[in-house]
Amino acid sequence: MQINFSFVLKYSAAVAAILFMNACLPSPNPDPGSSVEPESGANTSVDFGKTKGGESTEIYTLKNKNGLIVKVATYGATLVELHLPDKDGNFVDVLNGFDDVSGYEGEDNQYFGCTTGRVCNRIAKGKFTLDGKEYTLATNNDPNHLHGGEGKALSKQVWKAESATDAQAVTFSITTPDGEEGYPGNLSIKVTYTLTDENELRIDYEATTDKATPVNLTNHAYFNLAGSGSGTVLDHELTLNADKYTPTDDTLIPTGKIESVEGTPREFRTSRGIGEGIPDKEATKTEDCKTAPKGYDHNFVLNGNAGEQRLAARLKDPKSGRVMEIYTDQPGIQFYSGNFLKGQKGKGGKVYPFRGAICLETQHFPDSVNHDNFPNTILKPGETYKTTTVHKFSAQ
Ligand code: GLA
């Protein structure tokens, strides 16, 4: 009899992985504060309210066999809730957000959980030149363009939802027309959220255009692994797989340089408390963080080859033991330490304080369209923009 060793090896590895995962994740103990019934069917949509303009919005629930729950809304293709167990199996929601669409439309929403674009982060002075033509965009973050612009940014539109038959995935789609928010080309986008039984939240992005246009899509979730609204994240431990970062000017526009993190507060190559790198925790500007008022707001250049999935970040809440690893094919990640959070109220009246959550936005570098030495963000007709980011959860 012939033994297929590669099959035996793969099978043993799979069994070991399942045993390891079960050891890492205790049996579910549902979040008592949650309105979600973990036993009920997944991928059902419910009303999330009407926008100011009278459009209906829905929220979809995904659930895996370990009791993890994800809720995503059609408004902004937004990640609204994420319920994760701690090391004793207690579930909490770890995301900043609001109870219905009106909160997401209000001024307390700082891009919570949304799909950000068509170009995430900043474009200097809202200007770029493509194929000899100058384009002017909204300068909604004076003096720069931020996260795709104003009323018609992708985060502020209602997307169309299609739920998959396996009940653990939802695809949102939208076409943003030529000229919307000042960008060229009709751009058709799909974003798929998948919750796997391996405790991964996978986000797949796809886009095509009929004219050359810059595209840089990300998700803007605010994580607090101790539970959203439970204080600051300064004790969270972070590792970033990045030797370099892109320094910025005072308006958070990259200077174009790519510098080493060595010997700077941006040194996260081995796990470190977020608060340790912010010398004066209450300062609004510090010597070490002078290009990031109030804390971290930097694009890190990920090690390894862009285009290939690799570890980008690992975040751990030492008290609850909750861990999130982020894998991506993107060249960069924006580490933002919630510096503009202002104690606004969100889901169920929870308060989101200054530095009360962390964003880890996988991306091409900010303002790439104005820097020839940064990886290209121009999508051309006939090409397909494709990128995947995976968030893997465990508890230790
Ligand atoms: C990003 C930016 C920050 C800030 C937030 C939204 O993470 O890098 O400067 O604009 O979005 O408040």
Side-chain angles (χ1 to χ4, degrees), residues 110-111 121-122 141 146-147 220 222 252 297-298 334-336 340 359 361:
Q110 295 170 321
Y111 302 91
N121 211 284
R122 291 175 176 77
N141 188 245
L146 177 69
H147 293 327
H220 207 304
Y222 284 69
L252 296 171
D297 198 349
H298 296 86
Q334 187 80 13
F335 163 29
Y336 167 61
F340 302 118
C359 302
E361 304 149 63

Side-chain angles (χ1 to χ4, degrees), residues 74-114:
T74 52
Y75 184 78
T78 296
L79 188 51
V80 174
E81 292 182 29
L82 170 61
H83 297 253
L84 300 178
D86 68 5
K87 54 183 182 315
D88 301 317
N90 299 304
F91 279 72
V92 291
D93 178 13
V94 299
L95 297 182
N96 283 15
F98 298 96
D99 290 323
D100 62 25
V101 73
S102 64
Y104 286 91
E105 283 186 298
E107 59 183 33
D108 282 345
N109 182 16
Q110 295 170 321
Y111 302 91
F112 291 174
C114 66

Side-chain angles (χ1 to χ4, degrees), residues 302-310 328-332 363-365 375:
L302 293 170
N303 297 338
N305 296 329
E308 288 172 17
Q309 286 290 321
R310 66 238 191 266
T328 191
D329 50 24
Q330 286 291 300
Q363 61 183 6
H364 273 56
F365 307 166

Side-chain angles (χ1 to χ4, degrees), residues 230-241:
S230 69
T232 77
V233 287
L234 293 171
D235 61 349
H236 277 40
E237 294 159 2
L238 179 67
T239 315
L240 292 173
N241 180 22

Side-chain angles (χ1 to χ4, degrees), residues 316-338:
K316 180 177 179 187
D317 169 39
K319 288 200 203 86
S320 67
R322 291 189 187 90
V323 173
M324 172 173 72
E325 283 176 345
I326 298 181
Y327 297 83
T328 191
D329 50 24
Q330 286 291 300
I333 193 166
Q334 187 80 13
F335 163 29
Y336 167 61
S337 55

